[in-house]
Amino acid sequence: QVQLVESGGGLVQAGGSLRLSCAASGRSFGVYAMGWFRQAPGKEREFVATIGCSGGIPSYADAVKGRFTISRDNAKSTVYLQMNVLKPEDTAVYYCAARERYISEYYSKYNYWGQGTQVTVSS
């Protein structure tokens, strides 16, 4: 099993940047593909980005492509989400998630979840 803890959320003005971190503990981090998802009030949880076990094959939702970058440091057991040019519609609770081996854009495919970190973008 793996435990996930997100950090780095906060309040930022539109056009600003934030970097989220997700620290993992437990079983070897390198066997997990990682994903970031978000959930706004009254909306379903949606895919943001995912990255493979060794850092390759990142994939992004169309809504964040070109603005967000997912990366990972397996030596630190941490995955990051760099968010630039933030928009009010990016406001949500952001969750990191882990699943063994393969990336996925579907939240139901992930076995392990963090507690979430709030990101609020003011206009």
Side-chain angles (χ1 to χ4, degrees):
Q1 291 194 355
V2 64
Q3 292 77 45
L4 304 172
V5 178
E6 302 97 334
S7 62
L11 173 64
V12 63
Q13 287 188 333
S17 298
L18 282 174
R19 188 176 83 153
L20 305 183
S21 300
C22 174
S25 61
R27 190 183 168 191
S28 177
F29 182 65
V31 307
Y32 294 100
M34 301 299 295
W36 285 98
F37 293 79
R38 66 187 182 186
Q39 189 165 18
K43 294 188 177 182
E44 291 190 355
R45 191 167 299 191
E46 65 174 3
F47 166 72
V48 175
T50 184
I51 190 167
C53 297
S54 59
I57 328 174
S59 177
Y60 300 92
D62 288 344
V64 307
K65 202 171 293 183
R67 299 188 296 123
F68 291 11
T69 302
I70 187 172
S71 61
R72 65 189 294 163
D73 184 338
N74 285 355
K76 296 182 178 180
S77 298
T78 301
V79 63
Y80 305 97
L81 185 69
Q82 178 67 45
M83 306 185 294
N84 298 329
V85 195
L86 282 160
K87 304 175 181 180
E89 51 263 45
D90 295 318
T91 295
V93 177
Y94 283 71
Y95 299 90
C96 73
R99 70 185 302 261
E100 291 192 16
R101 300 179 68 183
Y102 304 115
I103 63 171
S104 176
E105 299 182 4
Y106 299 99
Y107 68 81
S108 62
K109 298 290 187 181
Y110 287 79
N111 306 106
Y112 306 103
W113 291 85
Q115 82 289 350
T117 186
Q118 176 71 46
V119 171
T120 303
V121 184
S122 63
S123 57

